[in-house]
Amino acid sequence: MRQDLTHIQQWIVPGSRVLDLGCADGQFLLSLQQKRQVRGLGLEIDPQGITASIAAGLNIVEQDMDDGLANFPDNSFDTVVMAQTLQALHHPHLILEEMLRIGQQGIVTFPNFGHWRCRWYLGTRGRMPVSEFMPYAWFDTPNIHFCTVRDFEALCHERNICILHRHMVGGSGALSNQAARMWPNLFAMTAIYHISR
Amino acid sequence: MAEAPGSVGIVAPQTAQFEQGLELACGRRLPRFELIYECYGELNRERSNAVLICHALSGHHHAAGYHNEDERKPGWWDDCIGPGKAIDTNRFHVVSLNNIGGCHGSTGPRSINPETGRVYGPDFPSLRARDWVNSQAMLSDLLGIEQWAAVIGGSLGGMQAMRWALSYPKRVRHCVVIAAALKLSAQNIAFNELARQAILSDPDYQAGHYLDGESIPRKGLALARMIGHITYLSDDAMAEKFGRELRSGTFDQGSESRVEFQVESYLRHQGSVFSENFDANTYLLMTRALDYFDLAREYGDDPVAAFSQAIASFMVISFSSDWRFSSQRSREIVNALIAAGREVSYAEIEADQGHDAFLLPIPRYRDVLSAYMQRVGDGG
């Protein structure tokens, strides 16, 4: 499982209700059900992901987050998770608000556009970064709202969103993870935030 | 041909008698009645693998397989029911019946009223979806099925499946609701009324007592079916299937020959076939039951309160081009289930066949239904 997802598990209270926004093939939700006995619901728009999730025995609703989440009542979940999806939304700030209306807590992970490789790529080539991690060309990418660690924290501050925990993933090695924790905006590839009101 | 791969093969309908009768929602009582049904696949020792199929407006008990070697077409949902199919008869014991009020063997307007010794005709009691569900529950008792692994239905069948989950919460483990709605819209009711008026205004209808006379209201019934059929297809599906193709005649100048479009001929054919095989009083009764249906009426018009009664897990499926029971109607079901804290999955299948899509072999539809039935079979 991806490093960001492994780390999230410890923040999930056993037996709680979890809404996973953009649950892909449901593997994370499945592991939460198995290891944390959560009552989970996933949202997804990809047909393959939906079928895979249903086959895994999960509850999955086909719904486009860009159409809003108004159909979810206030406080209907304990935790709302959104992994690596923030940057693909039309209105990320509104969805963050919605997450904390629907859930007591939110967990968000996103790729940090402030990572030194992105800056290096843009600085030296003067072109939008394309990497193994972010493989899309600028004109044909689902990622329309990239942000940096600092951008995200500024948004939380502005919107009175409380950051309970944060965790930074620098890469595969211990050294890069240490660097990511010390200088997140420069060395974190993936940022993980545990938020609440 | 009968033994096609994935077919349940030759099947024989059975008939169950219910001498005890049934109290109906309308306040009347059906003194005694019969239900005709078919079963596919073995019931396991725990009796935990039974699946009930609820049929739609013009459906019946013959959902899969063939009645004999010469039968040209298999049952109406043969695409989904059979060994290795979405509703896998290697895993499930599938029960499919004809509802009361029907005209394919269960007690309906064509049956003899034991209290008068005459055919019911238009005097058959008016029915609601809950009457069907109650009679299906009596059949479940008779078959020794305490709890259905799943109750499945499309369109009006989906409404029965939802009613099952509310009326008999402990008897339904999974509820599969396909191309259905919490209630009909005014437009839906309008189309049904148009179809009813087509029947009622046929002189051969004879105030419903046509079985006493020489002829049946073929024209009215055919017209009703033609109206219905248009609403089951989408604009795109009709364009694709017929376009402006001519069956006969010409547009050439200087010719007075009347043109006949393919779509006209198709609709007339559909209407004509239907009018030979269906009963006009049944059609009136079924469309009225459809109009009356409102899942949340008795729960203060609150679908969330309604679904709070349910225990089952739900799978809701809709089709993108279905305008008779649009995806929006299915999302209302899903949203109420979410708000009621019930287990629910939902898929909106991209399909251009309109409402009819629920009967057609559409790959993603098949995949989603198979995946969900896998879960049902695994006891999830």
Side-chain angles (χ1 to χ4, degrees):
Chain A
M1 188 172 302
R2 291 201 320 251
Q3 283 189 58
D4 56 331
L5 300 181
T6 320
H7 197 86
I8 292 173
Q9 289 193 358
Q10 61 179 327
W11 295 333
I12 305 284
V13 178
S16 60
R17 296 208 68 195
V18 175
L19 176 63
D20 187 353
L21 303 174
C23 67
D25 61 2
Q27 285 308 303
F28 176 60
L29 206 48
L30 188 64
S31 85
L32 282 184
Q33 277 187 195
Q34 288 162 352
K35 293 182 184 146
R36 287 276 190 261
Q37 294 76 47
V38 301
R39 295 174 60 202
L41 177 64
L43 244 60
E44 184 49 60
I45 48 169
D46 174 54
Q48 273 82 40
I50 291 165
T51 306
S53 299
I54 292 172
L58 298 164
N59 296 315
I60 296 302
V61 167
E62 180 163 347
Q63 183 173 335
D64 188 343
M65 270 183 275
D66 281 332
D67 296 336
L69 297 169
N71 53 323
F72 288 89
D74 296 0
N75 287 315
S76 48
F77 286 85
D78 296 301
T79 305
V80 182
V81 178
M82 185 168 66
Q84 305 287 22
T85 303
L86 186 74
Q87 75 284 355
L89 299 172
H90 281 146
H91 306 288
H93 58 306
L94 300 181
I95 292 294
L96 279 177
E97 299 275 358
E98 281 292 83
M99 286 176 74
L100 295 177
R101 175 186 66 78
I102 297 163
Q104 301 277 344
Q105 300 178 348
I107 298 173
V108 182
T109 84
F110 59 88
N112 170 32
F113 206 72
H115 190 268
W116 69 269
R117 280 185 197 276
C118 291
R119 302 186 194 203
W120 180 256
Y121 198 107
L122 189 58
T124 56
R125 304 190 198 188
R127 298 193 58 186
M128 288 300 282
V130 177
S131 66
E132 201 183 324
F133 193 53
M134 292 183 255
Y136 302 98
W138 66 272
F139 49 85
D140 184 26
T141 174
N143 303 320
I144 52 174
H145 279 128
F146 274 128
C147 69
T148 69
V149 165
R150 214 172 274 169
D151 283 330
F152 182 80
E153 293 193 1
L155 177 66
C156 289
H157 181 72
E158 196 181 291
R159 302 234 153 206
N160 294 316
I161 292 170
C162 171
I163 296 171
L164 301 174
H165 306 96
R166 67 175 201 186
H167 180 76
M168 300 294 155
V169 180
S172 46
L175 200 62
S176 59
N177 281 326
Q178 205 174 352
R181 278 194 290 277
M182 285 178 81
W183 299 285
N185 205 34
L186 205 52
F187 290 106
M189 280 177 74
T190 300
I192 309 171
Y193 283 88
H194 190 192
I195 55 176
S196 75
R197 269 291 166 209
Chain B
M1 69 143 282
E3 293 291 342
S7 169
V8 295
I10 302 286
V11 294
Q14 304 170 66
T15 301
Q17 314 261 356
F18 298 90
E19 296 297 332
Q20 66 271 49
L22 177 65
E23 296 293 339
L24 300 171
C26 68
R28 285 173 67 187
R29 182 182 162 73
L30 201 55
R32 79 170 95 100
F33 65 96
E34 290 184 353
L35 288 175
I36 189 167
Y37 65 99
E38 291 180 1
C39 300
Y40 324 111
E42 297 295 318
L43 184 63
N44 63 15
R45 202 177 307 162
E46 300 79 25
R47 297 177 171 269
S48 62
N49 68 334
V51 168
L52 178 68
I53 307 294
C54 301
H55 70 72
L57 187 62
S58 59
H60 45 70
H61 55 289
H62 187 32
Y66 299 81
H67 281 162
N68 55 61
E69 300 281 347
D70 303 324
E71 197 172 34
R72 203 166 49 85
K73 276 180 165 178
W76 58 269
W77 216 17
D78 198 81
D79 280 324
C80 284
I81 304 169
K85 292 181 180 171
I87 303 168
D88 188 348
T89 50
N90 290 329
R91 296 191 85 179
F92 297 110
H93 174 67
V94 180
V95 178
S96 170
L97 79 160
N98 182 216
N99 280 327
I100 49 171
C103 54
H104 293 89
S106 292
T107 299
R110 278 181 185 170
S111 310
I112 303 289
N113 180 348
E115 285 166 355
T116 64
R118 296 185 59 208
V119 166
Y120 276 109
D123 303 325
F124 196 85
S126 71
L127 297 174
R128 310 263 180 112
R130 67 181 66 240
D131 296 321
W132 291 327
V133 168
N134 290 337
S135 65
Q136 290 159 9
M138 291 166 78
L139 180 65
S140 321
D141 293 340
L142 189 86
L143 298 175
I145 295 161
E146 180 51 37
Q147 186 189 55
W148 295 99
V151 177
I152 305 176
S155 194
L156 179 55
M159 293 166 162
Q160 293 161 56
M162 287 189 284
R163 182 58 75 197
W164 255 102
L166 303 196
S167 292
Y168 300 96
K170 289 178 183 161
R171 302 192 73 171
V172 186
R173 222 158 53 235
H174 292 271
C175 184
V176 181
V177 182
I178 306 166
L182 293 168
K183 58 187 171 194
L184 291 199
S185 67
Q187 190 195 44
N188 283 157
I189 295 169
F191 278 117
N192 282 345
E193 175 58 9
L194 201 54
R196 283 192 293 267
Q197 285 302 326
I199 292 169
L200 294 170
S201 57
D202 184 334
D204 286 332
Y205 181 64
Q206 314 251 9
H209 295 287
Y210 47 85
L211 290 178
D212 297 337
E214 299 283 291
S215 54
I216 59 169
R218 279 192 188 82
K219 282 204 172 117
L221 197 50
L223 188 52
R225 182 58 172 181
M226 287 165 75
I227 294 161
H229 209 85
I230 296 170
T231 70
Y232 303 149
L233 299 173
S234 70
D235 192 17
D236 285 347
M238 286 180 113
E240 166 107 354
K241 203 164 178 177
F242 311 106
R244 291 177 52 85
E245 291 288 309
L246 293 185
R247 183 169 170 84
S248 61
T250 167
F251 292 120
D252 290 348
Q253 297 201 9
S255 161
E256 238 193 324
S257 91
R258 200 184 68 84
V259 300
E260 188 192 23
F261 289 95
Q262 284 289 3
V263 66
E264 298 177 70
S265 147
Y266 171 82
L267 279 179
R268 275 205 302 276
H269 174 72
Q270 291 292 326
S272 157
V273 169
F274 188 75
S275 69
E276 296 299 329
N277 298 309
F278 211 80
D279 181 73
N281 284 319
T282 289
Y283 201 85
L284 297 177
L285 182 151
M286 295 270 181
T287 54
R288 286 198 179 109
L290 194 52
D291 291 358
Y292 288 156
F293 183 81
D294 181 348
L295 191 76
R297 190 189 288 118
E298 70 197 82
Y299 303 93
D301 291 324
D302 179 5
V304 181
F307 281 127
S308 299
Q309 310 296 314
I311 298 173
S313 300
F314 287 75
M315 174 78 232
V316 181
I317 300 174
S318 71
F319 300 92
S320 58
S321 62
D322 183 352
W323 56 279
R324 185 85 195 244
F325 289 83
S326 71
S327 292
Q328 184 51 39
R329 301 284 84 76
S330 284
R331 278 196 293 270
E332 287 165 4
I333 297 171
V334 173
N335 292 344
L337 285 164
I338 289 172
R342 297 282 83 90
E343 296 211 6
V344 55
S345 288
Y346 169 60
E348 182 180 328
I349 309 294
E350 191 72 37
D352 61 10
Q353 295 92 334
H355 187 56
D356 256 0
F358 88 90
L359 293 168
L360 298 172
I362 296 162
R364 189 182 165 216
Y365 173 34
R366 185 197 57 211
D367 292 348
V368 165
L369 190 58
S370 300
Y372 194 76
M373 292 311 290
Q374 195 74 30
R375 168 180 171 178
V376 173
D378 293 344

